[in-house]
């Protein structure tokens, strides 16, 4: 039994296995082939925060695989009235075969996993977003044919997606540069961990300099869920970190632009870049479905 709380819960071989399976499930879906790998299995999905992609792709993934998903809003559960996480984890372990949780605080997902006898999947926390990163790696591989010798540049806020991407880059041998305003760097414990895994991870303050030679540019919102009170301040601080056409032109000609979505056009990314041929954000969003199927088969399958 294995959890996916951090992307670093998976090693390189396991990530490659998930990506290979995701590719296969994608091509099978295109051919109309559906194999019921999770027949009669149930996944509980607990959401403390809103979601479009994670919610819909997990629900459709379970249904395509012959299983069933339950959407459970935090406040619809007794959790919202203070039932302890450990009791909820133990009880759900008696009913379903896996739990996906999106929570503000990473420690909630860790505590849930500690008390659960079924696999727990992190569907986003303030610290990490591992399911997103598996879809991102799948997308990079589709467009670049490989994950090695890739230069990936993160521009913007050193947030949950950036943290998981740093760990994944170090595991998969991607060279990653992050360009964030000072004070908004990714979690430094994660950066240290990634470096200790042999990761080629560097900080370059100026986005113009950072994107030179980039194969992939990745950005995300300047204000993540739970940080809404800081929005006005962040709009000013991040102004120089917008992914616009002039920045994209400083990268390699065949650079792909990724964004986990939802995007704020005119803030972290321009409408022009979102709509450009460099942008592969909708393929990336689609790949959430295929990558998550592979995760579910690996964690919940026989
Ligand atoms: N990228 C992502 O996780 O999107 P949602 O918040 O819509 O799930
Ligand atoms: N960093 C964003 C990602 C949303 C999918 C957030 O946490 O709100």
């Amino acid at each position: 039994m294995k959890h996916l709380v951090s992307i670093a819960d998976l090693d390189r071989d396991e990530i490659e296995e998930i990506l290979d399976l995701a590719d296969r499930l994608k091509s099978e879906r295109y051919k109309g082939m559906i194999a019921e790998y999770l027949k009669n299995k149930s996944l509980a999905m607990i959401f403390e925060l809103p979601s479009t992609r994670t919610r819909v792709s997990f629900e459709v993934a379970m249904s395509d695989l012959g299983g069933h998903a339950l959407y459970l809003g935090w406040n619809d559960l007794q959790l919202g009235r203070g039932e302890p996480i450990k009791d909820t984890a133990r009880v759900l372990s008696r009913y379903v075969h896996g739990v996906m949780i999106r929570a503000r605080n990473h420690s909630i997902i860790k505590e849930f996993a500690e008390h659960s006898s079924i696999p727990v999947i992190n569907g986003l926390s303030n610290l990490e977003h591992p399911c997103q990163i598996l879809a991102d790696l799948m997308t990079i591989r589709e467009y670049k044919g490989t994950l090695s010798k890739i230069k990936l540049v993160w521009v913007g806020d050193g947030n949950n997606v950036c943290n998981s991407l740093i760990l994944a880059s170090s595991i998969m041998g991607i060279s990653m540069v992050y360009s964030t305003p000072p004070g908004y760097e990714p979690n430094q414990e994660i950066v240290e961990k990634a470096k200790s895994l042999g990761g080629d991870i560097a900080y370059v303050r100026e986005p113009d300099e950072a994107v030179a030679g980039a194969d992939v540019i990745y950005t995300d919102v300047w204000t993540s869920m739970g940080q809404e009170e800081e929005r006005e301040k962040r709009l000013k601080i991040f102004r120089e970190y917008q992914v616009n056409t002039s920045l994209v032109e400083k990268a390699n000609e065949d650079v792909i632009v990724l964004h986990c979505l939802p995007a704020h056009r005119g803030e972290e990314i321009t409408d022009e870049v979102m709509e450009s041929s460099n942008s592969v954000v909708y393929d990336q969003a689609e790949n959430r479905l295929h990558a998550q199927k592979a995760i579910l088969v690996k964690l919940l399958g026989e």
Side-chain angles (χ1 to χ4, degrees), residues 49-51 53-54 102 123-129 132 154 157 159-162 220-228 259-262 288:
L49 295 163
S51 166
R53 281 142 288 267
T54 306
R102 168 168 289 194
L124 179 146
S125 69
N126 58 331
L127 193 66
E128 280 207 53
H129 197 0
Q132 178 67 52
W154 178 273
D157 186 22
N159 62 17
N160 42 7
V161 177
C162 181
D220 184 16
V221 290
W222 291 338
T223 304
S224 283
M225 291 182 277
Q227 298 172 334
E228 288 77 9
H259 191 310
C260 60
L261 306 181
R288 292 291 303 276

Side-chain angles (χ1 to χ4, degrees), residues 1-5 8-11 14 118-121 298-300:
M1 206 270 294
K2 199 170 166 65
H3 301 299
L4 177 57
V5 174
D9 291 337
L10 302 172
D11 63 24
E14 289 170 317
I118 53 171
V120 172
I121 300 168
K298 186 164 165 67
L299 298 190
L300 273 57

Side-chain angles (χ1 to χ4, degrees), residues 192-208:
E192 290 314 313
K193 181 172 177 178
K195 286 184 176 166
S196 76
L197 292 170
D200 176 14
I201 311 294
Y203 174 63
V204 176
R205 180 176 171 160
E206 300 302 328
D208 282 9

Side-chain angles (χ1 to χ4, degrees), residues 230-245:
E230 298 174 32
R231 185 174 147 75
E232 291 310 314
K233 182 175 115 190
R234 283 171 171 266
L235 278 175
K236 293 191 194 100
I237 290 171
F238 284 92
R239 216 170 10 220
E240 305 303 317
Y241 290 81
Q242 183 185 67
V243 175
N244 51 37
T245 302

Side-chain angles (χ1 to χ4, degrees), residues 95-286:
Y95 296 144
V96 297
H97 304 92
V99 179
M100 189 240 76
I101 314 180
R102 168 168 289 194
R104 286 172 204 280
N105 204 323
H106 192 72
S107 64
I108 289 176
I109 304 179
K110 274 175 70 174
E111 187 181 346
F112 206 103
E114 273 161 31
H115 297 282
S116 166
S117 56
I118 53 171
V120 172
I121 300 168
N122 177 356
L124 179 146
S125 69
N126 58 331
L127 193 66
E128 280 207 53
H129 197 0
C131 298
Q132 178 67 52
I133 271 50
L134 289 164
D136 302 341
L137 297 176
M138 181 180 175
T139 311
I140 296 170
R141 239 175 49 157
E142 275 178 351
Y143 277 90
K144 300 290 170 189
T146 175
L147 294 178
S148 51
K149 300 202 181 102
I150 292 292
K151 178 178 174 182
L152 186 159
V153 180
W154 178 273
V155 180
D157 186 22
N159 62 17
N160 42 7
V161 177
C162 181
N163 290 334
S164 289
L165 211 49
I166 285 173
L167 287 170
S169 294
S170 68
I171 296 166
M172 302 311 288
I174 294 173
S175 298
M176 181 166 166
V177 170
Y178 57 91
S179 185
T180 69
Y184 294 85
E185 296 91 349
N187 180 288
Q188 289 305 296
E189 269 177 42
I190 286 189
V191 173
E192 290 314 313
K193 181 172 177 178
K195 286 184 176 166
S196 76
L197 292 170
D200 176 14
I201 311 294
Y203 174 63
V204 176
R205 180 176 171 160
E206 300 302 328
D208 282 9
E209 234 177 89
V211 299
D215 301 298
V216 182
I217 295 176
Y218 199 139
T219 191
D220 184 16
V221 290
W222 291 338
T223 304
S224 283
M225 291 182 277
Q227 298 172 334
E228 288 77 9
E229 285 175 8
E230 298 174 32
R231 185 174 147 75
E232 291 310 314
K233 182 175 115 190
R234 283 171 171 266
L235 278 175
K236 293 191 194 100
I237 290 171
F238 284 92
R239 216 170 10 220
E240 305 303 317
Y241 290 81
Q242 183 185 67
V243 175
N244 51 37
T245 302
S246 117
L247 188 73
V248 172
E249 281 171 353
K250 295 189 173 79
N252 287 348
E253 209 179 314
D254 62 351
V255 67
I256 55 168
V257 176
L258 298 181
H259 191 310
C260 60
L261 306 181
H264 286 74
R265 292 166 189 241
E267 293 181 18
E268 76 277 1
I269 190 163
T270 58
D271 184 61
E272 193 176 27
V273 171
M274 280 286 284
E275 301 296 338
S276 72
S277 57
N278 299 99
S279 160
V280 299
V281 300
Y282 306 109
D283 289 333
Q284 181 189 4
E286 177 189 326

